[in-house]
Amino acid sequence: MKTLKNHTLIYDKDCPMCAVYSSAFIGSGMLDKNGREAFCEISLEDKNLLDYNKARNEIALINHQENKVIYGLDSLLLIIGNSFPLLVKIAKIQPLYWFFQKLYKLVSFNRKQIIPSVKDTEKDACVPDFNLKYRLLYIGFVAVLSAFVLSEFSPKLWQNLTPNFYRELSVCLAQIFWQTLFLKSFLKDNFWNYLGNMMTVSLLGTLLLIPALFLNFNALFFGVYFFAVVSVMFFEHFRRCKILKLGFLPTFSWLIFRLTLALLIFAIYSK
């Protein structure tokens, strides 16, 4: 690998994704050993070069030779392009560049909802601004993916069911509506943060269900499998609410919806 010298990547050390890929840049030699610096530990000299608010939203790369800073996807492409110039030339072709730019922002603005940290409330924490557009995009993406996977999984639980994407999408949207109805006034400014975390719990459950789509067993097996996945989701939901200091009420409301839905499905399709 070709090392990009005289550059420092300012990363969020409390974000596992940021820590992993910045560490990979160091380990592979794409950045030198001192080529990254945690946002919460940044030196005064480097801090003076940054647009501090922008650096919370998009990872910053400081060029010490020219005292310039680039942000977000462009900072990553510069590091990668130093070793793989052809790859970056392809990535910068429109509409690929547009897509990767939107994908980067989708992840960046929702990274604290994808993986929250107990340190997110600290003064110098690298927490991105709330962006309604990218929060709604994230919620929509998870709802659509979950609906598709559940549509394919449901017939394995109930032989009377056929795959129906819109039925499962309605269930996903009903969960969002339910939680909004009961929790928006209680959670106040924390509502959108909670909702993003709740959708990550749904995403986790969806990913855990995908392997089952390729298995061929009886309904009892898939019933046990589904119960195990929902249990994992329950404990993950509770863990996240604990990190967010929201108490047990959001988890209780989430559980009530799940139990009510299960009873309705059993009453309708067990006949």
Side-chain angles (χ1 to χ4, degrees), residues 9 11-13 15-23 36 59 111:
L9 190 68
Y11 77 107
D12 178 7
K13 76 177 217 177
C15 168
M17 292 180 292
C18 303
V20 166
Y21 71 68
S22 61
S23 179
R36 69 171 183 168
I59 197 164
R111 68 181 188 270

Side-chain angles (χ1 to χ4, degrees), residues 125-143:
C126 187
V127 177
D129 294 329
F130 169 64
N131 186 298
L132 180 60
K133 179 177 74 172
Y134 285 105
R135 186 61 46 80
L136 290 175
L137 278 173
Y138 179 64
I139 291 169
F141 165 74
V142 175

Side-chain angles (χ1 to χ4, degrees), residues 2-269:
K2 187 178 178 182
T3 302
L4 182 65
K5 298 180 179 179
N6 297 316
H7 285 73
T8 301
L9 190 68
I10 309 301
Y11 77 107
D12 178 7
K13 76 177 217 177
D14 297 317
C15 168
M17 292 180 292
C18 303
V20 166
Y21 71 68
S22 61
S23 179
F25 287 149
I26 301 293
S28 65
M30 296 172 79
L31 287 172
D32 59 38
K33 292 182 179 180
N34 298 316
R36 69 171 183 168
E37 188 175 10
F39 181 90
C40 60
E41 300 169 354
I42 190 170
S43 66
L44 183 60
E45 180 184 358
D46 287 344
K47 188 174 182 178
N48 288 334
L49 294 173
L50 291 179
D51 179 329
Y52 197 69
N53 286 328
K54 190 173 184 178
R56 290 188 292 106
N57 297 325
E58 302 179 56
I59 197 164
L61 182 67
I62 300 175
N63 181 338
H64 293 288
Q65 193 168 354
E66 300 179 7
N67 286 333
K68 293 182 179 180
V69 185
I70 59 173
Y71 299 87
L73 178 65
D74 289 331
S75 66
L76 302 181
L77 291 180
L78 180 60
I79 297 169
I80 296 169
N82 191 54
S83 295
F84 304 100
L86 180 60
L87 190 64
V88 172
K89 283 183 180 179
I90 295 172
K92 286 191 174 183
I93 296 173
Q94 295 291 355
L96 280 177
Y97 180 77
W98 177 89
F99 172 76
F100 288 130
Q101 187 78 272
K102 298 301 181 184
L103 180 61
Y104 175 86
K105 289 185 177 181
L106 177 68
V107 174
S108 183
F109 279 112
N110 290 289
R111 68 181 188 270
K112 296 301 182 179
Q113 286 66 52
I114 297 172
I115 307 178
S117 169
V118 294
K119 297 182 179 180
D120 289 345
T121 56
E122 293 183 1
K123 182 180 178 182
D124 294 323
C126 187
V127 177
D129 294 329
F130 169 64
N131 186 298
L132 180 60
K133 179 177 74 172
Y134 285 105
R135 186 61 46 80
L136 290 175
L137 278 173
Y138 179 64
I139 291 169
F141 165 74
V142 175
V144 169
L145 180 61
S146 297
F148 174 77
V149 173
L150 283 168
S151 174
E152 298 300 314
F153 181 82
S154 295
K156 292 178 178 291
L157 280 175
W158 305 95
Q159 293 183 350
N160 295 335
L161 280 178
T162 56
N164 188 321
F165 170 80
Y166 294 104
R167 178 191 64 221
E168 302 301 338
L169 182 60
S170 297
V171 171
C172 293
L173 296 178
Q175 168 111 73
I176 296 170
F177 176 77
W178 174 287
Q179 294 296 80
T180 300
L181 182 66
F182 284 97
L183 297 174
K184 195 171 191 310
S185 60
F186 170 72
L187 296 178
K188 297 179 181 177
D189 293 341
N190 250 330
F191 172 73
W192 285 103
N193 190 16
Y194 163 75
L195 199 58
N197 274 273
M198 185 191 81
M199 296 310 292
T200 302
V201 173
S202 295
L203 179 60
L204 172 63
T206 298
L207 296 177
L208 290 175
L209 285 179
I210 290 175
L213 300 181
F214 303 96
L215 302 177
N216 187 20
F217 293 102
N218 59 29
L220 177 61
F221 171 85
F222 290 111
V224 173
Y225 189 100
F226 186 71
F227 177 78
V229 169
V230 172
S231 297
V232 170
M233 293 172 66
F234 170 80
F235 287 111
E236 178 61 13
H237 190 283
F238 178 73
R239 185 186 75 86
R240 286 170 178 262
C241 286
K242 189 175 180 180
I243 290 173
L244 298 174
K245 299 178 181 178
L246 300 180
F248 187 70
L249 181 60
T251 303
F252 179 74
S253 177
W254 180 90
L255 183 61
I256 290 297
F257 176 86
R258 294 280 169 171
L259 291 175
T260 303
L261 179 64
L263 289 173
L264 283 173
I265 292 174
F266 181 80
I268 295 171
Y269 293 102

